[in-house]
Amino acid sequence: MSHHAFFNRLFPQGVAVDLGTANTLIYTRGKGIVLNQPSVVCFQKNTDVGQGRVTAVGDQAKQLLGRSPGNVEAVRPMRHGVIANFSAAERMFREFIDMAQLRSMFGRRAEFTICVPSNATAVERRAIREAALAAGAAKVTLIGESLAAAVGAGLPVSEARGSMVVDIGGGTTEVGVVSLGGVAYQTSVRVGGDQFDAAIIAHVRSTYGVILGDQTAELVKKTIGTATLDVPHQRMRAVGRSLNDGLPRTVELTNHDVAEALAVPLKTVIGAVKNALENAPPELITDIADTGIVLTGGGALLANLDKRLCDETGLAVRIADEPLTCAVRGAGAAVDYVDSASFLQ
């Protein structure tokens, strides 16, 4: 039986899931992306039995982060691309399956391919698999995030040429060198968009004596965030709480503030890229010198990150088309032509 026929038998429904720290995406063959929602779930507090009924999930739940009423708890069950709260993850996943109407598409038991970080432990992988099975999956197969992102970015993963992908998610950055349908070298650091937000909060707190909320910090990052100081000044106002008197206070921040704040987490990301370039097979590095580096994931949208990486490595760096959805689209497509050994069975 050919690989193509084997995988079509293995994944007849072609449902792929990127159960990410920041967002969960679901892709189905034929329909494309059927769900893209923040990985947040809200519960009615019930002290007798722990977490009570689900009151909101996804976008609705994210709006309640940091501002939910006393009887409602907003939970982010994923941390660094793996499950931090099993029961919340399983219930969130179940809600997303219903929201995406997978049961009506595929009957009661759909089969899933799920992206996982390369540094996820055996226990963390088992937790992801068990949460999906508990949420209603018939079978779960795991695929490494780097490989899925490379396929989704349109890199020639099945060829003998080496390609490098840097996938910056909400909680992890994956750096992978792919060739011949598999991953020749990969490394992962637990730094992503969440750590960028936390760095902005810490910087504004220490510099201006103001505490920003998580969502305000994320808005600052998306509006004036930059990976390098070598840019014209941009400004925006942000409202936080004064450390002195606890009252609301408005601060005017610049993109240079954000660049300074992001210096430490970006150093970790750049270090992971350099580490991969130093340790991957030399023949594949020769290929990458010709083809450059491709950025995927939400973190790829940080302004001037491609320029910064280019300056640091001397290689061409480009951002993939639709970087936020590369991994889930790649997981959905990978089953057609990726070697079976590349899947984390």
Side-chain angles (χ1 to χ4, degrees), residues 36-197:
N36 182 354
Q37 291 280 331
S39 300
V40 188
V41 59
C42 283
F43 295 99
Q44 188 85 35
K45 281 187 183 171
N46 185 333
T47 49
D48 296 334
V49 293
Q51 287 170 333
R53 67 183 179 86
V54 173
T55 57
V57 69
D59 283 324
Q60 280 186 311
K62 185 178 180 181
Q63 288 168 12
L64 293 174
L65 275 176
R67 50 164 69 105
S68 55
N71 63 335
V72 172
E73 180 185 18
V75 178
R76 294 184 61 189
M78 308 297 293
R79 281 279 179 270
H80 302 298
V82 293
I83 292 173
N85 181 326
F86 184 84
S87 65
E90 184 255 309
R91 293 177 70 184
M92 178 184 77
F93 204 176
R94 195 185 293 272
E95 294 286 332
F96 284 153
I97 288 170
D98 289 343
M99 200 182 281
Q101 300 180 320
L102 294 185
R103 292 186 221 282
S104 61
M105 264 188 258
F106 302 122
R108 275 199 53 76
R109 308 284 283 177
E111 298 180 10
F112 291 82
T113 312
I114 302 180
C115 304
V116 293
S118 63
N119 67 348
T121 64
V123 170
E124 288 167 339
R125 287 173 184 168
R126 189 163 65 243
I128 288 172
R129 185 180 274 116
E130 286 176 359
L133 291 170
K139 181 174 183 175
V140 178
T141 303
L142 306 180
I143 181 172
E145 194 93 31
S146 293
L147 186 61
V151 174
L155 296 177
V157 296
S158 57
E159 296 178 15
R161 279 190 298 150
S163 302
M164 179 180 272
V165 63
V166 179
D167 182 71
I168 307 171
T172 58
T173 293
E174 299 270 320
V175 185
V177 177
V178 296
S179 176
L180 287 172
V183 180
Y185 180 85
Q186 62 186 2
T187 185
S188 178
V189 289
R190 294 196 163 189
V191 173
D194 284 359
Q195 288 67 42
F196 294 169
D197 297 345

Side-chain angles (χ1 to χ4, degrees), residues 222-272:
K222 288 180 174 176
T223 308
I224 59 168
T226 175
T228 172
L229 284 164
D230 185 23
V231 286
H233 274 77
Q234 283 181 286
R235 301 175 189 278
M236 76 172 283
R237 290 184 173 184
V239 180
R241 190 173 72 238
S242 169
L243 270 174
N244 288 336
D245 55 20
L247 296 174
R249 187 167 147 213
T250 301
V251 285
E252 186 170 79
L253 302 174
T254 72
N255 51 354
H256 287 220
D257 282 317
V258 182
E260 286 171 21
L262 297 181
V264 173
L266 282 178
K267 190 176 179 184
T268 306
V269 170
I270 291 161

Side-chain angles (χ1 to χ4, degrees), residues 232-315:
H233 274 77
Q234 283 181 286
R235 301 175 189 278
M236 76 172 283
R237 290 184 173 184
V239 180
R241 190 173 72 238
S242 169
L243 270 174
N244 288 336
D245 55 20
L247 296 174
R249 187 167 147 213
T250 301
V251 285
E252 186 170 79
L253 302 174
T254 72
N255 51 354
H256 287 220
D257 282 317
V258 182
E260 286 171 21
L262 297 181
V264 173
L266 282 178
K267 190 176 179 184
T268 306
V269 170
I270 291 161
V273 175
K274 288 181 173 177
N275 192 31
L277 290 168
E278 286 168 14
N279 292 291
E283 289 80 7
L284 298 182
I285 294 303
T286 305
D287 297 335
I288 292 162
D290 290 336
T291 57
I293 297 170
V294 176
L295 301 181
T296 66
L301 299 172
L302 178 68
N304 304 302
L305 181 56
D306 49 349
K307 181 178 182 296
R308 174 77 184 274
L309 272 172
C310 176
D311 291 343
E312 295 273 357
T313 62
L315 298 175

